[in-house]
Amino acid sequence: MRTEYSCFITQRRVELSGMAGSSQVEKHFRFVVVGGGISGVTCAEQLAFQFPGDEVALLTAAPLVKTVTNLKQVSKTLEEFDVEEQPSSILEEKYPNLKVIHSAVRVLRAKQHVLQTEDGHNFRYEKLCVCTGARPKLLIENPHVLGIRDTDSAQDFQKKLCKAKRIIVIGNGGIALELVYEVEGCEVIWAIKDKAIGNTFFDAGAAQFLIPSLEVEKPEKTLPCKRARYTIERAVNPKAGSLDHGSALGPDWHQGISLRGAEEVSHNVHVEYECEIEAVLSQHDFMQSPLYTQNSDLGTWPVYAQLTNGKVYGCDFIVSATGVVPNTEPFLQGNNFELAEDHGLRVDEHMRTCEPDVYAAGDVCSAGWEPSPLWQQMRLWTQARQMGFYAARCIAAHVLEEAIELDFCFELFSHITRFFNYKVVLLGKFNAQGLGLDHKLLVRCTKGLEYVKVVLSRGRMVGAVLIGDTDLEETFENLILNQMDLSSYGEELLNPDIDIEDYFD
Ligand SMILES: Cc1cc2nc3c(=O)[nH]c(=O)nc-3n(C[C@H](O)[C@H](O)[C@H](O)COP(=O)(O)OP(=O)(O)OC[C@H]3O[C@@H](n4cnc5c(N)ncnc54)[C@H](O)[C@@H]3O)c2cc1C
Ligand SMILES: NC(=O)C1=CN([C@@H]2O[C@H](COP(=O)(O)OP(=O)(O)OC[C@H]3O[C@@H](n4cnc5c(N)ncnc54)[C@H](OP(=O)(O)O)[C@@H]3O)[C@@H](O)[C@H]2O)C=CC1
């Protein structure tokens, strides 16, 4: 480690052109990380660990920080971990050189290597990592349309749900899949653009396997949920972060809260396929519109949604589970960041943005490197942790003038989660993404038990979807990573009478 950067925090008066209240106390940290979610905390922890003689600042708008615990490597690339929302003091006790500052960043002057927070402090850094996550991409700004992102929005949702008789869920990804299954005691109209449910994770076959779960009573929870719950009360400093700045929820977020509506029913989900929202109307506007004369029998609801298939539904409120948009806002103005198509800060294979000494990780960034043929970015908890960790390693390598190669975790996409009470493992090009017609699918399905899909390209396995307790993840991961020619096995590959694990050992 070079010594000329030994630990220092200086306080002095500086003039920063263009910053409000230009004469401010400046604090100097060698490393600054912005964002107290999984990516930011992982990055800050790793930097604090690697540079014990230097001060690391973690600036965050949220009152609590998220830490990863019980990290378990399930296989070479699959990992599971618990996440705890904790007061920052726990992090500071663990890493005495890590200082958590609860204030949102308002301005960045990348050329000057200076940040300004909402409470008027300026921070000078040598290396900065932006980990500000993303926010819900709401269909429309409307008091009756909710997004779910953090503990505050989840709490707001829960408060409204307990009085609701009918809600409309828009979107066909992770949040929608979780909600339609978890919500009870309330009718759910689920409006999706596609022909099948769960388009971001599944194909039509897997959707068909899953859909009967919506038609039966929800089973009692079979798995004790060991993951940490999200704290609802505001700890530490309630004024520290504005409410729209919380960290994203993640696995099992719904386990700690009751998702029950006002009615005495289990599931009551009606799916409207291949449609979008045409218009959202308040009760008053609906009554005044020509739609009312055609739909006067709909009853009285706080809000009405007109779908593109011509149907109109009244409901208590609408959930817009329509993806996320990266939180790049305070960093763009006056700087030269390059944004990707999805509006994320584009980073290279060393997690560097195009502003010098500014790195980014997690939901806020978009991988700008040529990806491995078996990996794609998805805004997921695991990738946030991996990127935060790797960004810290890159920062360290650059400071120490060492070489660093792209981390192995970016070789193969892998994700473990649960949908509809089934374990779900996704590997590689699980939906044949980008393969065009150049692929073949093998499927094995036992109703109510398991769904196994393998994607083969030129005889090699390039992706898999495993739903249920298939126990195949490790073997398939190996087959995907070693790219063995499997042409000669044909459909035998999924023959349930062959112990495939033994076979390829
Ligand atoms: C309901 C829900 C369920 C999910 N379920 C899963 C799941 O089951 N599995 C999975 O893999 N992923 C899941 N995800 C996705 C996962 O939670 C995210 O991909 C991950 O948490 C992103 O982490 P992050 O650190 O990049 O961002 P975040 O967790 O969003 O953290 C961003 C941080 O930046 C701070 N911040 C923002 N702006 C500023 C600013 N200007 N100044 C200072 N600080 C700022 C925020 O306060 C926050 O602390 C889910 C997401 C949601 C919303
Ligand atoms: N268990 C897990 O792994 C979970 C992961 N998450 C993650 O959290 C993040 C947020 O989740 P979520 O909001 O569900 O995002 P997702 O990206 O998972 O899904 C968004 C969905 O909304 C659809 N959509 C987008 N715009 C519109 C529109 N205007 N009208 C109708 N539908 C639209 C998308 O369709 P299209 O793709 O065609 O644009 C897609 O089906 C994601 O990164 C997700 O991966 C969330 C919950 C659980």
Side-chain angles (χ1 to χ4, degrees), residues 34-40 59-62 66 103-105 131-134 148-149 175 178 245-253 327 330-331 361-364 379-382 384 415 417:
V34 183
I38 287 303
S39 56
L59 305 185
T60 182
K66 290 217 165 134
S103 188
V105 170
C131 303
T132 45
I148 298 176
R149 179 71 186 171
I175 293 182
E178 291 191 332
H245 266 143
S247 305
L249 296 161
D252 299 335
W253 64 275
N327 281 324
F331 302 96
D363 278 8
V364 74
R379 289 191 162 84
L380 294 169
W381 200 305
T382 23
H415 184 47
T417 185

Side-chain angles (χ1 to χ4, degrees), residues 327-342:
N327 281 324
T328 54
E329 220 33 78
F331 302 96
L332 297 181
Q333 233 182 353
N335 300 301
N336 288 318
F337 288 106
E338 195 186 330
L339 291 191
E341 250 172 51
D342 60 7

